[in-house]
Amino acid sequence: MKLQLSRVQFFLILFIVETGVVFISFQTELINKGGRDSWIIFTVLTLVHFLQLLFYEKFHENFQLNTLFAFLYKFWWIILCICYIAYIDYTLATWGFPNTPTYLVISLIVLVSLYANLSQPETAVNIGVILIPLIVIFIIFILMSTFDLVWTNIFPIGTSTREQWIAGFQRGQTAYLGIELYFIFRIFVINNQIIKWKPLFIYQLIVGIFFIASVIGSQLYFSLEELKLIPEPIMYILKSEEVTFVKRLDIFFIYIWLTWSIVSITLIVLSIRIVHFSKKRKYPRFQIILLHLAFIILPLLLLKVNYINNIRDYLHYGYIPFSIVFPIIIVFMNRRRKQACSNESSSS
């Protein structure tokens, strides 16, 4: 596949995938499980994530998928897209479009991805550029709630138990789902430029501040008891803010989040496309259309409250195997194979 990315485009892809669908909701599960020290727990997780990115960069050339791992990753990303689409529709029905037919909302979401992935791969990448001003607008809006924060909510510090640290660490992983796409898009960076630790640190600092601020903001705006009843704290914060230029700020933001989420799903589907068509296959356009038909039909089966709760409860379990364990196995399998081949060639 012909695709060229600048380093800025590459990091923008990662940012959109990581901060897309889950950004409005992961805070509640993290804080409910992690307790008052949740913002500290997530800060530690963010530092670990930076070390993970350093590992990715050092060994990205050794991340070559065999048939088994290619299947596993494609299956994981398909599951991720199905769950994300179901959650998007559920959230839209809850906050802004309760009377809009479900199949229509899902079809509109999927059609954007279909169009982008039937086009040149640059189309899916360039769609993300439209999010830059929208994200800036969102940050300005959320900063308006600063005056309503209760700064004593995060005190006392150091009250979370070991069990809460473990549970909070697990739930915080939801924010970084999809980071394994680093390997998929890294090979398309122009001239395979070296990405040193400073650009990675700057990127992780931006993402970390973005996430950590949302966790701290949620804790400062709501008490721990209130957060047990609030599944999307960012949306509730925006809903409670009063501005003169729009009646409900949360409805305005839901359009930004919807665009954000659609682009995130489009990029995940692009990764499926890259891996699947790394080998020559017949009828590629038909296969892409078939995949998107599945994305219309299968999320409809998950649109019940208990299924949405299951998505929140279990989806984060995919982070450890697909973002940590499998990459380590794949990298070191390929390194050993290359070393064995080089030893054989040198001995001959």
Side-chain angles (χ1 to χ4, degrees):
M1 180 176 292
K2 294 182 179 179
L3 176 63
Q4 287 190 325
L5 301 173
S6 67
R7 288 193 296 183
V8 173
Q9 287 176 311
F10 172 67
F11 284 121
L12 179 62
I13 288 172
L14 296 181
F15 181 85
I16 293 171
V17 170
E18 287 187 296
T19 62
V21 181
V22 300
F23 180 73
I24 66 170
S25 61
F26 84 94
Q27 299 88 354
T28 293
E29 292 299 316
L30 167 64
I31 296 169
N32 286 340
K33 296 297 182 180
R36 202 175 299 277
D37 293 337
S38 293
W39 65 278
I40 303 175
I41 296 171
F42 193 80
T43 300
V44 174
L45 176 61
T46 299
L47 294 175
V48 173
H49 186 62
F50 172 62
L51 298 178
Q52 187 178 343
L53 291 180
L54 291 176
F55 172 82
Y56 281 12
E57 177 57 27
K58 183 175 178 62
F59 297 106
H60 72 274
E61 293 181 347
N62 297 111
F63 190 83
Q64 298 170 4
L65 298 175
N66 58 25
T67 303
L68 173 61
F69 281 113
F71 169 79
L72 289 174
Y73 272 101
K74 287 186 292 184
F75 181 76
W76 163 240
W77 292 329
I78 289 171
I79 294 297
L80 206 58
C81 287
I82 292 171
C83 291
Y84 279 175
I85 292 169
Y87 179 71
I88 291 170
D89 183 78
Y90 178 83
T91 304
L92 291 176
T94 302
W95 284 96
F97 309 100
N99 299 320
T100 305
T102 296
Y103 67 87
L104 180 60
V105 174
I106 291 177
S107 297
L108 290 174
I109 294 171
V110 173
L111 283 174
V112 175
S113 175
L114 176 62
Y115 166 75
N117 282 286
L118 285 177
S119 307
Q120 295 298 320
E122 289 84 358
T123 303
V125 175
N126 292 333
I127 288 177
V129 177
I130 67 174
L131 288 178
I132 296 176
L134 297 180
I135 293 172
V136 173
I137 292 172
F138 161 70
I139 293 174
I140 294 172
F141 285 164
I142 204 67
L143 286 175
M144 295 169 58
S145 65
T146 304
F147 301 104
D148 298 318
L149 302 181
V150 181
W151 295 93
T152 55
N153 280 356
I154 61 172
F155 298 106
I157 295 173
T159 59
S160 294
T161 64
R162 183 179 65 178
E163 290 74 17
Q164 286 178 310
W165 266 80
I166 294 172
F169 209 80
Q170 290 177 332
R171 293 307 176 109
Q173 294 165 3
T174 304
Y176 292 121
L177 288 175
I179 187 55
E180 67 276 0
L181 268 63
Y182 188 104
F183 289 115
I184 306 303
F185 292 103
R186 178 64 179 86
I187 60 175
F188 297 108
V189 174
I190 297 172
N191 298 326
N192 198 24
Q193 299 174 13
I194 296 174
I195 300 178
K196 297 183 179 180
W197 71 269
K198 286 185 178 180
L200 287 173
F201 178 77
I202 292 171
Y203 167 76
Q204 187 58 29
L205 184 64
I206 293 172
V207 174
I209 291 174
F210 198 73
F211 276 136
I212 294 169
S214 73
V215 175
I216 295 176
S218 298
Q219 287 190 252
L220 294 179
Y221 203 94
F222 303 104
S223 68
L224 295 181
E225 292 300 318
E226 287 175 322
L227 279 169
K228 293 179 180 179
L229 305 173
I230 299 175
E232 288 92 21
I234 301 299
M235 297 299 299
Y236 277 89
I237 291 173
L238 291 170
K239 183 178 180 180
S240 62
E241 294 302 309
E242 295 184 1
V243 292
T244 57
F245 55 88
V246 63
K247 187 176 181 180
R248 283 183 58 184
L249 197 55
D250 58 308
I251 296 296
F252 185 80
F253 171 69
I254 203 75
Y255 289 105
I256 297 178
W257 176 74
L258 176 60
T259 306
W260 201 337
S261 300
I262 290 174
V263 176
S264 178
I265 289 170
T266 300
L267 291 171
I268 296 174
V269 177
L270 177 59
S271 69
I272 298 172
R273 176 184 170 188
I274 290 170
V275 172
H276 185 68
F277 295 108
S278 59
K279 296 181 179 180
K280 190 173 182 180
R281 301 179 186 273
K282 294 182 179 179
Y283 314 114
R285 295 176 69 86
F286 175 75
Q287 293 185 48
I288 293 173
I289 293 172
L290 198 62
L291 176 63
H292 284 81
L293 282 175
F295 287 156
I296 293 176
I297 296 170
L298 295 178
L300 295 172
L301 305 177
L302 300 178
L303 289 176
K304 296 180 181 179
V305 174
N306 58 327
Y307 290 153
I308 297 298
N309 290 334
N310 287 337
I311 290 174
R312 293 192 183 113
D313 289 338
Y314 298 112
L315 197 61
H316 68 278
Y317 286 113
Y319 178 83
I320 294 294
F322 288 97
S323 297
I324 298 178
V325 178
F326 289 171
I328 292 174
I329 294 173
I330 293 166
V331 163
F332 286 102
M333 279 178 52
N334 289 326
R335 278 175 60 85
R336 290 187 62 182
R337 188 182 66 210
K338 287 182 179 180
Q339 289 174 354
C341 292
S342 62
N343 291 336
E344 288 178 5
S345 60
S346 59
S347 61
S348 62

